[in-house]
């Protein structure tokens, strides 16, 4: 299965949504692709799709909440595909509910997958990359890693935690003069199946807070940082507005989101009775896109956090000069 001239990427959460779209993007770019997810059915479908690119693929079924399973999968990816160049942590679960509706078990599970799953992936990839002093670890984040919203407290908290973990890791790699790089890609609302298989206690169908973007937007952004990773990549104008706005006007955003983000996440109709994927995978919904394709944007602005900071600094200097 090894192909010496292929770089290797491993994608966690590869059976659907952003992870599956990212697998397509890397395969099209000539990468050998390792797919990791819980669903055998979803992995089989993703693998079949990737055959069109004529690059090696390997699918392994594992729950990212199981650190040992992820570590063993990493060893197998290396043995069968070759040295891992890029590791993408994209697996996630969420619960749509007000905080008083959540149980400790639900909060724990969201944390185990969305936060600890990325930690487990990082811990599995890091020693392999350190041995060669090269490699890129990409954390798939969200605007919600900076600005929390109502009805997704456990998910927001997990993304906040992942950002803190990643910042610590980045500092350590710099201190150690390591050539291993880490980048967090902060995404806007994406049209994925999660809104039909997430646990939902709200009594209505749920949706991303508009504007909604196609998973291809996320996949292209993730691929773009693999060769020259910035500190962070902020994708979509809504992400930039949320992150920058929260730095300057957090109290105002509290009130705006209290009014708009609650209803903004509700859609018409009752939730589908097919079950949810919080503790077990759900077959039949493993696709790249969700049900919002007609409302999804195919393109989005993407800027590194460093460039945004530089632009804001330049604007501040110009404003100061005008006031003098």
């Amino acid at each position: 299965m090894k192909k010496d001239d292929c770089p290797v990427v491993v994608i966690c959460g590869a059976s659907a949504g952003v992870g599956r779209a990212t697998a397509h993007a890397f395969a099209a770019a000539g990468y050998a692709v390792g797919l990791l997810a819980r669903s055998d059915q979803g992995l089989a479908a993703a693998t079949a799709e990737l055959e069109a690119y004529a690059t090696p693929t390997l699918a392994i079924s594992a729950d990212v909440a199981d650190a040992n399973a992820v570590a063993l999968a990493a060893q197998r990816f290396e043995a069968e595909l070759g040295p891992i160049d890029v590791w993408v942590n994209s697996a996630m679960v969420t619960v749509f509910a007000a905080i008083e509706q959540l149980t400790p078990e639900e909060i724990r599970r969201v944390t185990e997958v969305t936060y600890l799953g990325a930690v487990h992936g990082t811990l599995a990839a890091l020693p392999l990359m350190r041995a060669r002093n090269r490699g890129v670890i990409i954390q798939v984040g969200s605007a919600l890693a900076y600005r929390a919203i109502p009805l997704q407290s456990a998910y927001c908290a997990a993304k906040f935690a992942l950002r803190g973990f990643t910042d610590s890791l980045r500092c350590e790699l710099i201190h150690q003069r390591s050539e291993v790089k880490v980048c967090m890609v902060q995404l806007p609302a994406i049209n994925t199946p999660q809104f039909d298989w997430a646990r939902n206690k709200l009594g209505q169908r749920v949706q991303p807070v508009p504007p909604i973007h196609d998973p291809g937007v996320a996949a292209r952004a993730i691929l773009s940082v693999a060769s020259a990773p910035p500190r962070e990549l902020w994708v979509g104008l809504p992400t930039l507005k949320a992150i920058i706005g929260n730095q300057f006007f957090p109290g105002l955003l509290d009130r705006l989101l209290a009014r708009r983000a609650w209803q903004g996440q509700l859609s018409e109709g009752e939730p589908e009775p097919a079950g949810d994927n919080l503790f077990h995978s759900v077959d039949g919904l493993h696709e790249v896109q969700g049900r919002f394709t007609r409302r999804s944007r195919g393109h989005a602005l993407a800027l590194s956090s460093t460039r945004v900071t530089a632009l804001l600094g330049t604007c501040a200097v110009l404003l100061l000069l005008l006031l003098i």
Side-chain angles (χ1 to χ4, degrees):
M1 188 178 294
K2 287 186 179 180
K3 194 172 180 181
D4 293 338
D5 57 347
C6 276
V8 176
V9 62
V10 172
I11 302 167
C12 298
S15 62
V18 169
R20 189 151 159 182
T22 300
H24 277 271
F26 275 92
Y31 281 74
V33 182
L35 308 168
L36 191 146
R38 290 178 297 175
S39 170
D40 290 325
Q41 184 185 86
L43 286 171
T47 300
E49 290 176 358
L50 296 186
E51 289 176 358
Y53 302 102
T55 59
T57 61
L58 173 62
I60 298 177
S61 178
D63 188 337
V64 295
D66 184 339
N68 186 57
V70 176
L72 290 175
Q75 295 290 341
R76 187 178 164 198
F77 285 129
E78 285 252 327
E80 298 192 31
L81 292 179
I84 298 168
D85 298 282
V86 182
W87 185 285
V88 181
N89 288 310
S90 183
M92 56 77 65
V93 293
T94 188
V95 179
F96 288 90
I99 288 173
E100 62 268 22
Q101 295 176 300
L102 293 171
T103 67
E105 292 75 22
E106 290 168 338
I107 295 172
R108 183 180 302 111
R109 178 60 179 170
V110 173
T111 304
E112 286 174 344
V113 175
T114 307
Y115 169 53
L116 290 178
V119 172
H120 297 158
T122 301
L123 294 177
L126 196 56
L128 302 173
M129 293 179 175
R130 279 192 189 279
R132 298 182 289 270
N133 197 31
R134 63 178 174 84
V136 180
I137 298 171
I138 301 172
Q139 317 287 27
V140 177
S142 167
L144 305 187
Y146 281 88
R147 175 63 249 183
I149 61 174
L151 304 180
Q152 287 201 75
S153 56
Y155 177 82
C156 293
K159 290 299 186 183
F160 268 70
L162 180 57
R163 182 164 63 91
F165 173 82
T166 302
D167 286 352
S168 290
L169 173 58
R170 188 183 298 107
C171 291
E172 292 179 10
L173 292 171
I174 292 170
H175 174 79
Q176 295 159 353
R177 295 183 173 84
S178 174
E179 291 302 314
V180 177
K181 306 297 182 184
V182 60
C183 175
M184 194 164 183
V185 179
Q186 312 295 11
L187 298 179
I190 303 291
N191 173 32
T192 73
Q194 67 159 302
F195 300 94
D196 286 320
W197 66 19
R199 180 160 293 188
N200 178 3
K201 297 186 169 185
L202 300 176
Q204 285 184 243
R205 299 183 87 181
V206 290
Q207 65 175 13
V209 177
I212 304 168
H213 298 76
D214 186 81
V217 170
R220 291 191 296 272
I222 293 165
L223 175 64
S224 75
V225 304
S227 57
R231 184 181 187 278
E232 287 191 357
L233 187 69
W234 297 351
V235 182
L237 188 58
T239 300
L240 272 70
K241 289 165 64 177
I243 295 174
I244 295 170
N246 197 59
Q247 301 301 312
F248 294 100
F249 309 108
L252 175 61
L253 284 182
D254 287 344
R255 292 186 288 274
L256 285 174
L257 291 169
R259 289 200 300 267
R260 298 179 183 176
W262 190 296
Q263 193 62 37
Q265 293 180 83
L266 300 179
S267 183
E268 293 183 1
E270 296 182 358
E272 298 293 328
D276 63 69
N277 75 336
L278 184 60
F279 290 96
H280 306 283
S281 63
V282 176
D283 290 332
L285 289 175
H286 287 86
E287 303 288 346
V288 170
Q289 297 171 319
R291 67 178 191 273
F292 310 101
T293 301
R294 292 185 178 179
R295 298 165 53 190
S296 298
R297 300 180 178 184
H299 300 278
L301 175 71
L303 294 174
S304 72
S305 55
T306 303
R307 179 170 295 182
V308 174
T309 301
L311 290 172
L312 289 175
T314 301
C315 292
V317 170
L318 291 174
L319 180 60
L320 181 62
L321 292 174
L322 289 173
L323 294 175
I324 293 177

mmCIF file of all heavy atoms in Angstrom, residues 19 41 74 84 98:
data_model
loop_
_atom_site.group_PDB
_atom_site.id
_atom_site.type_symbol
_atom_site.label_atom_id
_atom_site.label_comp_id
_atom_site.label_asym_id
_atom_site.label_seq_id
_atom_site.Cartn_x
_atom_site.Cartn_y
_atom_site.Cartn_z
ATOM 1 N N GLY A 19 -14.407 16.421 7.925
ATOM 2 C CA GLY A 19 -13.357 15.423 7.811
ATOM 3 C C GLY A 19 -13.368 14.718 6.473
ATOM 4 O O GLY A 19 -12.316 14.516 5.843
ATOM 5 N N GLN A 41 -19.487 1.781 8.200
ATOM 6 C CA GLN A 41 -20.238 2.105 6.991
ATOM 7 C C GLN A 41 -19.763 3.433 6.401
ATOM 8 O O GLN A 41 -19.545 3.550 5.195
ATOM 9 C CB GLN A 41 -21.729 2.173 7.313
ATOM 10 C CG GLN A 41 -22.607 2.422 6.102
ATOM 11 C CD GLN A 41 -24.066 2.604 6.483
ATOM 12 O OE1 GLN A 41 -24.508 3.700 6.807
ATOM 13 N NE2 GLN A 41 -24.826 1.509 6.454
ATOM 14 N N ALA A 74 -2.363 5.134 14.832
ATOM 15 C CA ALA A 74 -1.254 5.931 14.301
ATOM 16 C C ALA A 74 -0.087 5.039 13.895
ATOM 17 O O ALA A 74 0.527 5.225 12.838
ATOM 18 C CB ALA A 74 -0.806 6.952 15.344
ATOM 19 N N ILE A 84 3.903 9.773 8.678
ATOM 20 C CA ILE A 84 2.795 10.736 8.672
ATOM 21 C C ILE A 84 3.343 12.154 8.598
ATOM 22 O O ILE A 84 4.115 12.582 9.450
ATOM 23 C CB ILE A 84 1.917 10.563 9.924
ATOM 24 C CG1 ILE A 84 1.295 9.163 9.953
ATOM 25 C CG2 ILE A 84 0.834 11.639 9.973
ATOM 26 C CD1 ILE A 84 0.647 8.805 11.275
ATOM 27 N N ALA A 98 -30.197 23.656 26.417
ATOM 28 C CA ALA A 98 -29.858 24.621 27.460
ATOM 29 C C ALA A 98 -29.074 23.892 28.558
ATOM 30 O O ALA A 98 -29.214 22.676 28.738
ATOM 31 C CB ALA A 98 -31.125 25.240 28.035
#
